[in-house]
């Protein structure tokens, strides 16, 4: 059973930084994609960033140049700099095998809240 546990959320002022972490256990794939998604109240879920085991990364236009996704062992990180109020959301990590996808991830973490005040 795959388990994902996120941490690192919190409240910051605009322009501040946070680093989210997501540690995975029970991952059955040797080739896989880990992703960060976010969802704000009343808005659709948005894929923020992905990283594949081949090193390929992908970012939403809304976070390019401000967020960086990386991995170390079984943990995926999301370094978020120059945060804006519109980044306020619940952030979830997710994992799937073989390829990265826009939404079809079978395993999800419980989420960590990020709140950015102006």
């Amino acid at each position: 059973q795959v388990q994902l546990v996120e941490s690192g959320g919190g409240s910051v002022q605009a322009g501040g930084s946070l680093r989210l972490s997501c540690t995975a256990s029970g991952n059955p794939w040797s080739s896989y994609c880990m992703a960060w998604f976010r969802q704000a109240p009343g808005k659709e879920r948005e894929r923020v960033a992905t990283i594949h085991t081949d090193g390929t990364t992908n970012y939403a236009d809304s976070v390019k140049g401000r967020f960086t996704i990386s991995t170390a062992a079984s943990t995926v990180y999301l370094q978020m700099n120059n945060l804006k109020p519109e980044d306020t959301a619940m952030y979830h990590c997710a994992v799937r095998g073989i390829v990265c996808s826009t939404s079809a991830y079978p395993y999800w973490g419980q989420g960590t809240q990020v709140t950015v005040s102006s």
Side-chain angles (χ1 to χ4, degrees), residues 24-48:
S25 60
N27 190 341
W29 303 290
S30 58
S31 174
Y32 56 89
C33 181
M34 296 196 76
W36 285 98
F37 287 80
R38 67 185 180 185
Q39 188 165 21
K43 294 187 177 181
E44 291 187 357
R45 186 172 63 194
E46 177 185 25
R47 189 183 69 171
V48 176

mmCIF file of all heavy atoms in Angstrom, residues 24-48:
data_model
loop_
_atom_site.group_PDB
_atom_site.id
_atom_site.type_symbol
_atom_site.label_atom_id
_atom_site.label_comp_id
_atom_site.label_asym_id
_atom_site.label_seq_id
_atom_site.Cartn_x
_atom_site.Cartn_y
_atom_site.Cartn_z
ATOM 1 N N ALA A 24 7.128 9.293 0.547
ATOM 2 C CA ALA A 24 6.367 8.162 0.039
ATOM 3 C C ALA A 24 6.904 6.855 0.591
ATOM 4 O O ALA A 24 8.110 6.688 0.766
ATOM 5 C CB ALA A 24 6.434 8.141 -1.487
ATOM 6 N N SER A 25 6.000 5.945 0.867
ATOM 7 C CA SER A 25 6.385 4.589 1.265
ATOM 8 C C SER A 25 5.526 3.592 0.499
ATOM 9 O O SER A 25 4.400 3.904 0.121
ATOM 10 C CB SER A 25 6.213 4.383 2.777
ATOM 11 O OG SER A 25 4.864 4.581 3.160
ATOM 12 N N GLY A 26 6.086 2.427 0.248
ATOM 13 C CA GLY A 26 5.337 1.390 -0.443
ATOM 14 C C GLY A 26 5.205 1.596 -1.935
ATOM 15 O O GLY A 26 4.384 0.948 -2.582
ATOM 16 N N ASN A 27 6.022 2.466 -2.514
ATOM 17 C CA ASN A 27 5.949 2.728 -3.954
ATOM 18 C C ASN A 27 6.366 1.483 -4.729
ATOM 19 O O ASN A 27 7.501 1.040 -4.606
ATOM 20 C CB ASN A 27 6.860 3.905 -4.297
ATOM 21 C CG ASN A 27 6.664 4.405 -5.710
ATOM 22 O OD1 ASN A 27 6.132 3.701 -6.567
ATOM 23 N ND2 ASN A 27 7.116 5.612 -5.960
ATOM 24 N N PRO A 28 5.468 0.926 -5.578
ATOM 25 C CA PRO A 28 5.799 -0.320 -6.268
ATOM 26 C C PRO A 28 6.514 -0.132 -7.599
ATOM 27 O O PRO A 28 6.952 -1.111 -8.209
ATOM 28 C CB PRO A 28 4.425 -0.945 -6.498
ATOM 29 C CG PRO A 28 3.541 0.249 -6.711
ATOM 30 C CD PRO A 28 4.093 1.320 -5.799
ATOM 31 N N TRP A 29 6.628 1.120 -8.066
ATOM 32 C CA TRP A 29 7.174 1.347 -9.391
ATOM 33 C C TRP A 29 8.645 1.739 -9.356
ATOM 34 O O TRP A 29 9.087 2.478 -8.485
ATOM 35 C CB TRP A 29 6.398 2.460 -10.087
ATOM 36 C CG TRP A 29 4.931 2.219 -10.196
ATOM 37 C CD1 TRP A 29 4.323 1.286 -10.991
ATOM 38 C CD2 TRP A 29 3.894 2.923 -9.529
ATOM 39 N NE1 TRP A 29 2.957 1.373 -10.831
ATOM 40 C CE2 TRP A 29 2.671 2.363 -9.947
ATOM 41 C CE3 TRP A 29 3.884 3.973 -8.618
ATOM 42 C CZ2 TRP A 29 1.440 2.810 -9.479
ATOM 43 C CZ3 TRP A 29 2.667 4.432 -8.144
ATOM 44 C CH2 TRP A 29 1.455 3.845 -8.567
ATOM 45 N N SER A 30 9.397 1.298 -10.347
ATOM 46 C CA SER A 30 10.782 1.739 -10.488
ATOM 47 C C SER A 30 10.848 3.007 -11.332
ATOM 48 O O SER A 30 11.789 3.785 -11.225
ATOM 49 C CB SER A 30 11.637 0.645 -11.131
ATOM 50 O OG SER A 30 11.100 0.306 -12.399
ATOM 51 N N SER A 31 9.835 3.214 -12.156
ATOM 52 C CA SER A 31 9.711 4.426 -12.961
ATOM 53 C C SER A 31 8.373 5.061 -12.585
ATOM 54 O O SER A 31 7.325 4.432 -12.730
ATOM 55 C CB SER A 31 9.743 4.097 -14.447
ATOM 56 O OG SER A 31 9.485 5.248 -15.231
ATOM 57 N N TYR A 32 8.425 6.289 -12.105
ATOM 58 C CA TYR A 32 7.175 6.885 -11.638
ATOM 59 C C TYR A 32 7.261 8.401 -11.677
ATOM 60 O O TYR A 32 8.328 8.981 -11.913
ATOM 61 C CB TYR A 32 6.847 6.402 -10.214
ATOM 62 C CG TYR A 32 7.926 6.666 -9.196
ATOM 63 C CD1 TYR A 32 7.952 7.860 -8.474
ATOM 64 C CD2 TYR A 32 8.913 5.713 -8.947
ATOM 65 C CE1 TYR A 32 8.944 8.095 -7.540
ATOM 66 C CE2 TYR A 32 9.904 5.944 -8.011
ATOM 67 C CZ TYR A 32 9.922 7.140 -7.307
ATOM 68 O OH TYR A 32 10.901 7.359 -6.384
ATOM 69 N N CYS A 33 6.135 9.000 -11.442
ATOM 70 C CA CYS A 33 6.008 10.453 -11.453
ATOM 71 C C CYS A 33 5.403 10.899 -10.126
ATOM 72 O O CYS A 33 4.400 10.333 -9.682
ATOM 73 C CB CYS A 33 5.104 10.887 -12.605
ATOM 74 S SG CYS A 33 4.887 12.664 -12.753
ATOM 75 N N MET A 34 6.009 11.896 -9.536
ATOM 76 C CA MET A 34 5.434 12.495 -8.339
ATOM 77 C C MET A 34 4.992 13.920 -8.670
ATOM 78 O O MET A 34 5.677 14.617 -9.430
ATOM 79 C CB MET A 34 6.420 12.487 -7.185
ATOM 80 C CG MET A 34 6.787 11.075 -6.740
ATOM 81 S SD MET A 34 7.578 11.000 -5.131
ATOM 82 C CE MET A 34 6.165 11.244 -4.045
ATOM 83 N N ALA A 35 3.882 14.297 -8.110
ATOM 84 C CA ALA A 35 3.284 15.579 -8.461
ATOM 85 C C ALA A 35 2.798 16.307 -7.222
ATOM 86 O O ALA A 35 2.477 15.691 -6.194
ATOM 87 C CB ALA A 35 2.113 15.349 -9.413
ATOM 88 N N TRP A 36 2.727 17.597 -7.351
ATOM 89 C CA TRP A 36 2.060 18.457 -6.378
ATOM 90 C C TRP A 36 0.844 19.081 -7.056
ATOM 91 O O TRP A 36 0.960 19.630 -8.153
ATOM 92 C CB TRP A 36 2.978 19.556 -5.861
ATOM 93 C CG TRP A 36 4.002 19.086 -4.897
ATOM 94 C CD1 TRP A 36 5.311 18.786 -5.164
ATOM 95 C CD2 TRP A 36 3.816 18.865 -3.496
ATOM 96 N NE1 TRP A 36 5.944 18.381 -4.022
ATOM 97 C CE2 TRP A 36 5.055 18.432 -2.975
ATOM 98 C CE3 TRP A 36 2.731 18.980 -2.630
ATOM 99 C CZ2 TRP A 36 5.237 18.121 -1.621
ATOM 100 C CZ3 TRP A 36 2.899 18.668 -1.296
ATOM 101 C CH2 TRP A 36 4.145 18.250 -0.795
ATOM 102 N N PHE A 37 -0.280 18.987 -6.381
ATOM 103 C CA PHE A 37 -1.504 19.624 -6.819
ATOM 104 C C PHE A 37 -1.941 20.600 -5.732
ATOM 105 O O PHE A 37 -1.524 20.486 -4.571
ATOM 106 C CB PHE A 37 -2.631 18.586 -7.002
ATOM 107 C CG PHE A 37 -2.483 17.715 -8.208
ATOM 108 C CD1 PHE A 37 -1.623 16.618 -8.207
ATOM 109 C CD2 PHE A 37 -3.220 17.965 -9.353
ATOM 110 C CE1 PHE A 37 -1.499 15.796 -9.328
ATOM 111 C CE2 PHE A 37 -3.107 17.155 -10.478
ATOM 112 C CZ PHE A 37 -2.247 16.071 -10.459
ATOM 113 N N ARG A 38 -2.796 21.523 -6.102
ATOM 114 C CA ARG A 38 -3.385 22.405 -5.098
ATOM 115 C C ARG A 38 -4.847 22.679 -5.458
ATOM 116 O O ARG A 38 -5.232 22.622 -6.620
ATOM 117 C CB ARG A 38 -2.618 23.716 -4.984
ATOM 118 C CG ARG A 38 -2.691 24.616 -6.202
ATOM 119 C CD ARG A 38 -1.769 25.831 -6.005
ATOM 120 N NE ARG A 38 -1.808 26.730 -7.161
ATOM 121 C CZ ARG A 38 -1.027 27.806 -7.292
ATOM 122 N NH1 ARG A 38 -0.144 28.098 -6.345
ATOM 123 N NH2 ARG A 38 -1.134 28.572 -8.352
ATOM 124 N N GLN A 39 -5.602 22.966 -4.422
ATOM 125 C CA GLN A 39 -6.993 23.307 -4.632
ATOM 126 C C GLN A 39 -7.412 24.340 -3.604
ATOM 127 O O GLN A 39 -7.274 24.115 -2.397
ATOM 128 C CB GLN A 39 -7.909 22.091 -4.551
ATOM 129 C CG GLN A 39 -9.336 22.393 -4.954
ATOM 130 C CD GLN A 39 -10.156 21.149 -5.226
ATOM 131 O OE1 GLN A 39 -9.829 20.053 -4.777
ATOM 132 N NE2 GLN A 39 -11.217 21.291 -6.006
ATOM 133 N N ALA A 40 -7.899 25.459 -4.101
ATOM 134 C CA ALA A 40 -8.424 26.514 -3.249
ATOM 135 C C ALA A 40 -9.943 26.387 -3.188
ATOM 136 O O ALA A 40 -10.557 25.845 -4.110
ATOM 137 C CB ALA A 40 -8.026 27.877 -3.797
ATOM 138 N N PRO A 41 -10.561 26.884 -2.130
ATOM 139 C CA PRO A 41 -12.022 26.792 -2.015
ATOM 140 C C PRO A 41 -12.720 27.417 -3.223
ATOM 141 O O PRO A 41 -12.388 28.527 -3.634
ATOM 142 C CB PRO A 41 -12.322 27.577 -0.740
ATOM 143 C CG PRO A 41 -11.082 27.461 0.070
ATOM 144 C CD PRO A 41 -9.957 27.477 -0.935
ATOM 145 N N GLY A 42 -13.630 26.668 -3.810
ATOM 146 C CA GLY A 42 -14.391 27.173 -4.938
ATOM 147 C C GLY A 42 -13.666 27.138 -6.267
ATOM 148 O O GLY A 42 -14.202 27.599 -7.277
ATOM 149 N N LYS A 43 -12.452 26.598 -6.272
ATOM 150 C CA LYS A 43 -11.680 26.535 -7.513
ATOM 151 C C LYS A 43 -11.375 25.091 -7.866
ATOM 152 O O LYS A 43 -11.406 24.197 -7.016
ATOM 153 C CB LYS A 43 -10.381 27.335 -7.376
ATOM 154 C CG LYS A 43 -10.593 28.823 -7.211
ATOM 155 C CD LYS A 43 -9.268 29.564 -7.248
ATOM 156 C CE LYS A 43 -9.474 31.070 -7.154
ATOM 157 N NZ LYS A 43 -8.174 31.808 -7.208
ATOM 158 N N GLU A 44 -11.074 24.880 -9.143
ATOM 159 C CA GLU A 44 -10.707 23.546 -9.584
ATOM 160 C C GLU A 44 -9.303 23.186 -9.100
ATOM 161 O O GLU A 44 -8.465 24.056 -8.883
ATOM 162 C CB GLU A 44 -10.759 23.466 -11.113
ATOM 163 C CG GLU A 44 -12.162 23.561 -11.675
ATOM 164 C CD GLU A 44 -12.195 23.299 -13.172
ATOM 165 O OE1 GLU A 44 -11.126 23.106 -13.772
ATOM 166 O OE2 GLU A 44 -13.311 23.285 -13.736
ATOM 167 N N ARG A 45 -9.087 21.895 -8.972
ATOM 168 C CA ARG A 45 -7.759 21.432 -8.606
ATOM 169 C C ARG A 45 -6.780 21.743 -9.732
ATOM 170 O O ARG A 45 -7.094 21.570 -10.907
ATOM 171 C CB ARG A 45 -7.792 19.932 -8.328
ATOM 172 C CG ARG A 45 -6.500 19.366 -7.797
ATOM 173 C CD ARG A 45 -6.688 17.927 -7.369
ATOM 174 N NE ARG A 45 -7.056 17.072 -8.479
ATOM 175 C CZ ARG A 45 -7.539 15.841 -8.338
ATOM 176 N NH1 ARG A 45 -7.723 15.346 -7.123
ATOM 177 N NH2 ARG A 45 -7.843 15.130 -9.394
ATOM 178 N N GLU A 46 -5.603 22.157 -9.352
ATOM 179 C CA GLU A 46 -4.575 22.548 -10.331
ATOM 180 C C GLU A 46 -3.311 21.726 -10.096
ATOM 181 O O GLU A 46 -2.850 21.582 -8.958
ATOM 182 C CB GLU A 46 -4.237 24.046 -10.168
ATOM 183 C CG GLU A 46 -3.130 24.532 -11.071
ATOM 184 C CD GLU A 46 -2.731 25.976 -10.805
ATOM 185 O OE1 GLU A 46 -2.937 26.455 -9.675
ATOM 186 O OE2 GLU A 46 -2.204 26.633 -11.720
ATOM 187 N N ARG A 47 -2.785 21.195 -11.179
ATOM 188 C CA ARG A 47 -1.499 20.515 -11.073
ATOM 189 C C ARG A 47 -0.420 21.578 -11.045
ATOM 190 O O ARG A 47 -0.266 22.339 -11.997
ATOM 191 C CB ARG A 47 -1.283 19.553 -12.236
ATOM 192 C CG ARG A 47 -0.061 18.660 -12.047
ATOM 193 C CD ARG A 47 0.173 17.758 -13.232
ATOM 194 N NE ARG A 47 0.606 18.506 -14.414
ATOM 195 C CZ ARG A 47 1.045 17.931 -15.522
ATOM 196 N NH1 ARG A 47 1.094 16.623 -15.628
ATOM 197 N NH2 ARG A 47 1.407 18.677 -16.552
ATOM 198 N N VAL A 48 0.354 21.615 -9.985
ATOM 199 C CA VAL A 48 1.362 22.657 -9.787
ATOM 200 C C VAL A 48 2.687 22.279 -10.419
ATOM 201 O O VAL A 48 3.303 23.076 -11.125
ATOM 202 C CB VAL A 48 1.554 22.921 -8.276
ATOM 203 C CG1 VAL A 48 2.671 23.926 -8.048
ATOM 204 C CG2 VAL A 48 0.246 23.399 -7.656
#
